[in-house]
């Protein structure tokens, strides 16, 4: 209680004091650029992914643009040790994502390299994925995909280097005939997702779907 008094939680938008379990106040929440296309729609990410690999369905929660609120939220999650943000983003996703009668068989999040995981202390996607797993009743596997190369964040790379991701990922176990949902924080070029997707597709008769917290267009 003393900590909360001395260091109150503040809205990422207006910096007003808010409850400890929130990211933004009610007014700033209305400013978040949520994506309004559904999981089965022919949305922007699906069209981009189709150019890179066979994809079934795609979903993005928010737009990720320069100086907008969603960018601040993602940065809090990734770089400010706000793992709680993953739970909140999952709750917002669950309010908007309907798999209908075609739920994926498995949730798989983009892994960090062990060195990056040690530096950050956590994978920003794990809490998000586990919350979705519990709500939808879909198992997750944090160990299916291995990142083989250490690299700086996508947001810090120039465009040319973003396109270089051959042999970055590998499959750690046998997996066949699964409908898999790949989960990432921000969709930029789609190169990271494509690298993982091809490993999954090559592993057996699997199908791939994509879910991202935000898309950078």
């Amino acid at each position: 209680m003393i900590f909360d008094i001395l260091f109150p939680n503040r809205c990422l938008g207006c910096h007003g004091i808010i409850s400890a379990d929130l990211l933004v106040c009610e007014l700033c929440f209305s400013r978040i650029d949520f994506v309004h296309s559904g999981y089965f729609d022919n949305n922007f990410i699906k069209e981009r992914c189709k150019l890179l690999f066979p994809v079934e369905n795609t979903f993005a929660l928010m737009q990720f643009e320069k100086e907008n609120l969603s960018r601040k939220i993602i940065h809090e999650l990734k770089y400010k040790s706000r793992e709680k943000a993953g739970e909140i983003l999952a709750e917002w996703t669950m309010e908007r994502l309907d798999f209908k009668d075609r739920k994926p068989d498995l949730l798989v999040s983009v892994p960090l390299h062990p060195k990056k995981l040690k530096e950050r202390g956590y994978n920003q996607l794990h809490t998000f994925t586990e919350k979705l797993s519990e709500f939808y009743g879909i198992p997750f596997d944090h160990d299916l995909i291995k990142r083989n190369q250490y690299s700086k964040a996508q947001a810090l790379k120039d465009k040319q280097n973003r396109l270089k991701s051959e042999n970055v990922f590998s499959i750690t176990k046998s997996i066949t005939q699964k409908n898999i949902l790949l989960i990432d924080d921000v969709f930029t070029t789609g190169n990271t997702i494509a690298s993982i997707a091809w490993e999954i597709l090559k592993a057996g008769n699997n199908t791939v779907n994509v879910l991202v917290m935000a898309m950078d267009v």
Side-chain angles (χ1 to χ4, degrees):
M1 183 177 296
I2 294 176
F3 183 86
D4 290 340
I5 294 173
L6 295 176
F7 305 98
N9 185 38
R10 293 187 178 274
C11 171
L12 296 179
C14 65
H15 305 294
I17 296 175
I18 56 175
S19 172
D21 60 349
L22 298 177
L23 292 174
V24 294
C25 67
E26 185 174 346
L27 180 61
C28 289
F29 180 81
S30 66
R31 295 171 40 213
I32 297 174
D33 298 322
F34 287 108
V35 177
H36 299 293
S37 56
Y39 181 68
F40 299 101
D41 297 341
N42 288 318
N43 51 51
F44 173 82
I45 292 183
K46 183 178 291 187
E47 295 304 315
R48 289 284 294 273
C49 287
K50 283 181 177 179
L51 299 175
L52 301 171
F53 63 93
V55 66
E56 295 294 310
N57 302 292
T58 61
F59 179 86
L61 178 63
M62 304 178 292
Q63 298 277 2
F64 189 79
E65 299 175 357
K66 186 177 182 179
E67 302 303 326
N68 75 353
L69 193 50
S70 62
R71 181 181 288 268
K72 292 182 181 179
I73 292 170
I74 298 294
H75 281 195
E76 285 288 311
L77 172 62
K78 293 183 69 171
Y79 308 119
K80 302 290 184 65
S81 300
R82 289 283 295 272
E83 283 188 86
K84 177 68 177 179
E87 289 188 23
I88 296 172
L89 288 168
E91 290 169 359
W92 294 350
T93 300
M94 293 178 315
E95 293 170 357
R96 294 165 174 79
L97 176 58
D98 184 3
F99 293 119
K100 299 180 181 178
D101 59 347
R102 288 182 281 174
K103 291 196 302 185
D105 299 317
L106 185 66
L107 306 182
V108 176
S109 56
V110 174
L112 295 176
H113 187 274
K115 181 179 178 181
K116 178 67 69 64
L117 183 61
K118 185 176 181 179
E119 291 173 354
R120 187 172 295 171
Y122 63 98
N123 183 319
Q124 72 275 8
L125 297 174
H126 283 182
T127 300
F128 178 82
T129 301
E130 291 161 15
K131 192 80 172 178
L132 295 183
S133 172
E134 180 182 1
F135 180 80
Y136 291 108
I138 304 171
F140 65 86
D141 190 337
H142 292 325
D143 301 315
L144 177 65
I145 306 297
K146 177 184 177 182
R147 185 184 286 266
N148 300 316
Q149 300 177 19
Y150 176 83
S151 63
K152 58 186 177 181
Q154 284 281 336
L156 302 179
K157 296 180 181 179
D158 58 45
K159 187 173 182 179
Q160 183 176 4
N161 285 331
R162 286 182 187 181
L163 300 176
K164 298 177 182 178
S165 60
E166 295 181 1
N167 304 315
V168 173
F169 301 98
S170 59
I171 296 285
T172 63
K173 62 190 76 171
S174 175
I175 183 167
T176 59
Q177 297 184 323
K178 295 293 184 181
N179 184 27
I180 295 174
L181 180 62
L182 288 181
I183 298 174
D184 202 0
D185 46 29
V186 181
F187 185 96
T188 51
T189 63
N191 200 47
T192 296
I193 287 288
S195 297
I196 297 174
W198 279 115
E199 294 301 320
I200 291 173
L201 293 168
K202 290 187 296 183
N205 187 25
N206 301 305
T207 55
V208 172
N209 309 272
V210 172
L211 186 161
V212 294
M213 296 174 178
M215 63 179 188
D216 190 357
V217 296

